[in-house]
Amino acid sequence: MPQSIDFLQVFLGIILILSALGVVLFNKPVHACLSFLLTLLTLSVYYLQLSAHFVAVMQILVYAGAILVIFMFIIILFQDAYQNIEQVKAKSAPLLLAAAGVGLILSLIVIGKQLWGTKIVNNALPEGYGTVQSLGKLLYIDFFLPFEAITLLFLIAVIGGLYIGKKVKNG
């Protein structure tokens, strides 16, 4: 007999969708970053439910660090331009916004249709699932190049943000 979807999963899914929308829709960068933080914390709870405790902890640690980097970008890049953001009206066409809304609703319908008949399978997890050793082997053997490429990308982004946000001294 298939198990029904857990109430906690539905509640977390609603929080996840709303917080992800908040990242896109909030006008103030600080509110968008806090919404992003809520999204990441909700994802880590999902990882805990999937018995991936290490990934959940790393999600919080790594992305909490990334959140701090985002705050730094916001402070550096928008410290002088923040007052101008509210004075400029968005140039997005209402037709594009309506099309995006319709696309979102259609994609939610398709995803809901795909998930409606899905049965939850409770197979036993493989030996060492979610441990530091198994993840370390996976990252450093199978996904070494993408892992290092992302690290390099973060480093370049930080250096670029510092260079762009550098104030020019007059005189």
Side-chain angles (χ1 to χ4, degrees), residues 32-171:
C33 285
L34 290 175
S35 184
F36 186 53
L37 180 63
L38 180 63
T39 303
L40 295 174
L41 291 176
T42 307
L43 276 176
S44 67
V45 173
Y46 269 119
Y47 286 131
L48 286 175
Q49 278 193 326
L50 294 172
S51 300
H53 300 110
F54 178 75
V55 176
V57 170
M58 292 308 293
Q59 171 89 10
I60 292 171
L61 291 175
V62 170
Y63 287 108
I67 290 294
L68 292 177
V69 170
I70 289 172
F71 273 118
M72 186 180 74
F73 281 132
I74 291 168
I75 291 169
I76 291 172
L77 297 177
F78 296 115
Q79 60 185 348
D80 295 332
Y82 180 69
Q83 290 84 18
N84 296 334
I85 289 175
E86 292 183 0
Q87 295 174 355
V88 176
K89 292 196 174 208
K91 296 180 181 176
S92 302
L95 182 64
L96 290 176
L97 292 174
V102 169
L104 176 68
I105 291 171
L106 287 176
S107 63
L108 289 176
I109 290 171
V110 169
I111 291 171
K113 189 176 178 181
Q114 293 287 328
L115 293 176
W116 186 255
T118 304
K119 297 177 183 177
I120 297 174
V121 179
N122 288 329
N123 291 339
L125 297 174
E127 184 73 28
Y129 178 81
T131 62
V132 177
Q133 290 83 13
S134 66
L135 285 173
K137 284 182 184 174
L138 194 66
L139 276 179
Y140 287 107
I141 294 175
D142 295 338
F143 295 102
F144 179 75
L145 185 61
F147 182 74
E148 291 301 322
I150 289 172
T151 304
L152 184 63
L153 183 67
F154 276 128
L155 180 65
I156 291 170
V158 168
I159 291 171
L162 290 174
Y163 179 75
I164 291 172
K166 170 178 89 172
K167 295 216 179 234
V168 178
K169 294 182 180 178
N170 293 331

